[in-house]
Amino acid sequence: QVQLMESGGGSVQPGGSLKLSCAASRPIFDRCGMGWYRRPPGKELDLISYIGTDGSTNYADVVKGRFTISEDNGNNTLYLEMRNLTPRDTAMYICATFPLSGSCNYWGQGTEVTVSS
């Protein structure tokens, strides 16, 4: 079993930046792609970015150019660097393996991001 633990959330003013981390309890990045999801208050869960086992990255249009996904294989940690944040980025941010499969089906509990003035 693998545990995923997010950290780095918090409150920030519009235009600010945050860097989220997702620590895996053991190495999985070599066999599992990883993704960042978010759930805004009262809304559904959306996939906003993912990174493949080959290092390829993909972003939803709403975050493209502002967010950067990366991973550190040595530390088993996935990151999401977020810049130029707006109130619309307020959400619970959750990391998970992506795509989900029989051997890659792990979810973190999330870290909350609030963007307000």
Side-chain angles (χ1 to χ4, degrees):
Q1 190 71 354
V2 176
Q3 283 76 47
L4 300 177
M5 178 76 73
E6 300 93 338
S7 62
S11 295
V12 63
Q13 292 186 339
S17 301
L18 282 175
K19 187 172 184 177
L20 307 183
S21 300
C22 170
S25 59
R26 60 183 180 87
I28 58 170
F29 298 163
D30 58 339
R31 60 180 180 87
C32 300
M34 298 295 298
W36 282 100
Y37 295 77
R38 71 183 184 186
R39 182 187 290 119
K43 297 186 178 181
E44 296 182 349
L45 189 69
D46 288 322
L47 176 69
I48 56 170
S49 183
Y50 63 86
I51 183 167
T53 54
D54 62 354
S56 60
T57 59
N58 192 279
Y59 300 91
D61 288 343
V62 293
V63 305
K64 195 174 295 183
R66 300 187 299 123
F67 290 13
T68 303
I69 190 171
S70 63
E71 57 190 19
D72 182 338
N73 291 310
N75 289 326
N76 303 322
T77 303
L78 175 75
Y79 299 100
L80 185 68
E81 188 165 9
M82 308 185 294
R83 300 178 298 276
N84 196 19
L85 288 161
T86 77
R88 291 185 177 182
D89 296 314
T90 294
M92 178 70 75
Y93 285 74
I94 303 166
C95 66
T97 49
F98 181 85
L100 298 175
S101 67
S103 61
C104 293
N105 191 352
Y106 305 109
W107 291 81
Q109 293 191 328
T111 185
E112 195 162 358
V113 172
T114 301
V115 185
S116 71
S117 54

